[in-house]
Amino acid sequence: MTKRNLIIILAATLVFIGCTTAPPQRIIPKSVQDELIFPPPPEEPRFIYERSLHGSTDVVQDEENDVLRRALTGEKKRGEGLGKPYSVAVHHGRVFVGDTGRRNVMVFDIPGQKFFTVGDEDPGQLSRPLGMDVDKDGNLFVLDGLAKLIFAYNRDGKYLRTIGNATDFSRPAGLAVNSDGSRVYAVDIGGTTSETHKVLVYDGHSGEKLSEIGKRGTKEGEFNLPRDVSVAPDGSLYVVDGGNFRVQKFTPEGKFVSTFGSIGRQGGQFSRPKESAVDSNGNIYVADAAFGNFQIFNSEGQLLLAIGSRSERGGPAKFMLPSGIAVDGDGRIYFVDQFFQKVDVFRPVTLGPTEGYTNKDTKGKYIPNPEELAKKEESAKK
């Protein structure tokens, strides 16, 4: 064999080895990259799409034997998926999703790599979980649309108490609780033939009804088909006044302060506003089912940013029937879509992927995100 032929064979062998061992690079088109960052370039980025939760397999980490078995057999991951998610609450990376299809609350403990459900049996059995919120300790409060009662559970799902009376409500909707759990605010959406468009105030510990805020109307402090209520860090209340296409601000005692929003299709306006949330800086997040997005406002009602768009095909930040929204203490946003049966998670760009509550367990150990787990599974197949 000549020296020239030997060089040709060696070169061909190296090319073959490179083709069989080098994993294909995932090339993301620039248009897709731009959609995952909000606002898109050239604006300064504020949030980035991080992940979606569809079911228990998104948080329960595989054992190495499970990964290897699926790689050899082609078996798919199995778990419990969302049915018809509606509302969401979050406490230090533990995500509570009210599922009206499954008639319970599905709990995705991302840092703890656990999944469980709440409200499957008495006492505290749920029929139609709607509005939800958590206090500073992670205690969960759920407004049931069929029972017309508020059920309280601890962070691990243990039933604590029942708040309110079924006769208090005409048509329950949203719910919020203040930081220490001493006040629970529940929305009665009323209806086209009902005059009970109001917010009910309860003692979160005794369950006693304390007062009511608002009545049906279009004036300041009045409501037309209110949908949700949120509590700001300073105790201020923000009520999504759906039929009046606005958000109204009240003092903790229920005194009207201000309002923002109007009907329309421009930024800062509303078409079908639903649930709301407030972050640690006092910014208000409002989900709009018609726009397929959520808009972020400061405490003065000025529009800061809108995230998401309406779509029939789904995908990151694509929504058909959005509803619930929540913001964790680290600034991550959790946004529910009923049609695509998911919760999309958005991370502030100032927060690294391994920072905050989501990617660390209770001992501070780093937890790989879903993309890293997918790479690990892909490597096991080779």
Side-chain angles (χ1 to χ4, degrees):
M1 180 180 295
T2 65
K3 183 177 181 180
R4 180 173 178 276
N5 289 339
L6 179 60
I7 292 174
I8 292 174
I9 292 173
L10 288 173
T13 302
L14 290 174
V15 171
F16 176 77
I17 292 173
C19 291
T20 56
T21 59
Q25 291 187 346
R26 184 187 176 197
I27 300 175
I28 302 176
K30 187 176 186 302
S31 60
V32 176
Q33 293 179 32
D34 291 349
E35 289 180 358
L36 300 179
I37 300 173
F38 307 91
E43 299 293 329
E44 182 179 353
R46 298 273 306 277
F47 290 92
I48 184 169
Y49 165 81
E50 185 171 66
R51 70 174 80 200
S52 293
L53 300 174
H54 292 275
S56 60
T57 57
D58 292 317
V59 295
V60 179
Q61 189 173 2
D62 279 331
E63 300 292 337
E64 289 191 12
N65 290 339
D66 296 330
V67 176
L68 181 60
R69 185 185 70 252
R70 285 203 309 275
L72 295 174
T73 64
E75 177 187 342
K76 294 184 178 181
K77 294 180 76 171
R78 298 180 179 179
E80 294 187 54
L82 292 169
K84 192 176 181 181
Y86 180 85
S87 52
V88 61
V90 60
H91 181 262
H92 294 184
R94 178 172 285 188
V95 187
F96 302 88
V97 183
D99 196 309
T100 58
R102 291 185 173 274
R103 299 187 178 187
N104 62 15
V105 174
M106 304 183 76
V107 186
F108 300 82
D109 188 339
I110 301 175
Q113 302 177 13
K114 296 186 299 184
F115 172 85
F116 59 96
T117 58
V118 176
D120 292 305
E121 56 186 29
D122 280 328
Q125 184 170 11
L126 296 169
S127 299
R128 193 184 182 198
L130 295 177
M132 299 195 311
D133 202 2
V134 291
D135 64 18
K136 63 180 177 60
D137 297 318
N139 295 313
L140 175 68
F141 297 78
V142 183
L143 177 57
D144 192 294
L146 287 182
K148 298 183 178 181
L149 295 169
I150 301 165
F151 297 105
Y153 311 85
N154 70 9
R155 192 173 188 269
D156 296 320
K158 180 182 177 181
Y159 168 79
L160 299 177
R161 58 190 170 274
T162 298
I163 297 171
N165 191 301
T167 58
D168 294 342
F169 293 94
S170 172
R171 186 181 163 199
L175 177 141
V177 59
N178 66 355
S179 179
D180 64 8
S182 62
R183 291 292 180 272
V184 178
Y185 303 89
V187 173
D188 193 336
I189 194 173
T192 56
T193 60
S194 170
E195 296 301 315
T196 57
H197 300 223
K198 59 190 177 183
V199 176
L200 297 92
V201 186
Y202 294 92
D203 184 304
H205 299 142
S206 70
E208 177 189 359
K209 179 182 171 182
L210 302 176
S211 62
E212 296 181 357
I213 301 172
K215 63 178 182 177
R216 190 171 192 180
T218 59
K219 297 178 182 178
E220 294 179 347
E222 297 179 341
F223 305 123
N224 181 29
L225 302 175
R227 298 302 305 254
D228 196 23
V229 57
S230 298
V231 182
D234 65 357
S236 298
L237 306 178
Y238 290 91
V239 181
V240 178
D241 188 6
N244 287 324
F245 305 96
R246 64 187 180 184
V247 174
Q248 297 196 68
K249 181 179 180 179
F250 297 83
T251 66
E253 295 72 35
K255 182 180 179 180
F256 172 82
V257 176
S258 60
T259 182
F260 64 87
S262 62
I263 186 172
R265 302 193 63 83
Q266 303 300 316
Q269 296 181 314
F270 301 115
S271 181
R272 194 182 170 193
K274 296 193 76 173
E275 290 209 342
S276 62
V278 182
D279 66 19
S280 58
N281 295 316
N283 297 318
I284 304 97
Y285 300 66
V286 183
D288 197 299
F291 294 162
N293 71 2
F294 60 88
Q295 299 183 81
I296 308 174
F297 302 84
N298 65 17
S299 58
E300 302 301 317
Q302 298 170 321
L303 178 65
L304 303 178
L305 179 65
I307 294 179
S309 61
R310 190 172 177 82
S311 172
E312 296 181 359
R313 300 185 62 180
K318 301 294 185 182
F319 308 101
M320 172 59 77
L321 192 58
S323 55
I325 188 167
V327 184
D328 206 350
D330 59 9
R332 280 183 169 89
I333 307 166
Y334 297 78
F335 193 37
V336 174
D337 188 272
Q338 295 179 279
F339 185 83
F340 294 121
Q341 301 170 301
K342 67 172 181 174
V343 179
D344 275 5
V345 184
F346 300 88
R347 185 183 78 246
V349 294
T350 55
L351 190 71
T354 62
E355 297 177 329
Y357 298 118
T358 298
N359 295 94
K360 294 180 181 179
D361 63 16
T362 54
K363 297 181 181 179
K365 180 181 177 182
Y366 171 65
I367 298 173
N369 61 39
E371 188 171 323
E372 291 175 292
L373 294 175
K375 290 180 179 179
K376 181 179 178 181
E377 188 163 330
E378 187 67 28
S379 298
K381 296 178 181 179
K382 294 181 185 282

